Amino acid sequence: MSDDHTHVQEFFGARAAGWDRKFPGDGPAFTTAVAEFGLRPGDRVLDAGCGTGRAMTALRAAVGPAGTVLGVDLTPQMLAAARRAGRDAEGALLLADVARLPLRDGVLDAVFAAGLIAHLPDPGANLRELARVVRPGGGLALFHPIGRAALAARHGRELTPEDMRAEHNLGPLLTGSGWDMTSYADDDDRFLVLAVRRP
């Protein structure tokens, strides 16, 4: 799926209208992950691959009225669902590709990415693009509301040592993309990796 934007758009576009109903219990996990991310009032944060904008309320609460929240997604139907849910009240929603963000270098303090990394066509290059738009010392959160094993079971597959999200693979991938991993959590009820943009 990840190497074809049209396929990604078709896959998520067909599921956008019912996405939030399919995962009704995820809200607290998003709120907890954003709290652990350590955003500050006034920060400028990107929700990369925002989907229906499930993180945007928590992100807005974290950065406050003086902060900036920008949600970017490749799928128009996902953004339409976010607007129907009223999440555009929490920040701007933009149809764009995280592989080529229409943002200046170093303009953001942080990037929050829920469920994104598995859908990146070129993870190294795409993580470098996220690093490009974040100031040195800024943060990255890679999140999923369930852990790798639970996600694999949901999809009927087994985890392998080659899984990109395994700590031994993800750490070097981040390092080679301009980030330093600062924490790694892979539990049944959440996956959360935090990293800092290198100078």
Side-chain angles (χ1 to χ4, degrees), residues 114-128:
L116 176 70
I117 192 165
H119 302 290
L120 296 176
D122 184 344
N126 303 150
L127 288 167
R128 279 193 295 278

Side-chain angles (χ1 to χ4, degrees), residues 108-139:
L108 300 173
D109 297 296
V111 173
F112 185 87
L116 176 70
I117 192 165
H119 302 290
L120 296 176
D122 184 344
N126 303 150
L127 288 167
R128 279 193 295 278
E129 174 66 356
L130 295 178
R132 179 188 68 78
V133 300
V134 173
R135 63 168 176 78

Side-chain angles (χ1 to χ4, degrees), residues 84-145:
R84 283 194 301 275
R87 293 173 181 142
D88 53 339
E90 310 294 353
L93 294 170
L94 180 64
L95 181 65
D97 184 353
V98 298
R100 291 181 298 280
L101 290 164
L103 299 171
R104 297 190 312 274
D105 293 359
V107 72
L108 300 173
D109 297 296
V111 173
F112 185 87
L116 176 70
I117 192 165
H119 302 290
L120 296 176
D122 184 344
N126 303 150
L127 288 167
R128 279 193 295 278
E129 174 66 356
L130 295 178
R132 179 188 68 78
V133 300
V134 173
R135 63 168 176 78
L140 171 69
L142 301 176
F143 168 70
H144 199 283

Side-chain angles (χ1 to χ4, degrees), residues 156-180:
R157 60 178 174 78
E158 292 187 6
L159 285 179
T160 69
E162 291 75 34
D163 182 358
M164 177 176 52
R165 288 164 290 190
E167 187 171 8
H168 64 269
N169 295 325
L170 188 55
L173 178 63
L174 287 165
T175 299
S177 305
W179 302 95
D180 288 324

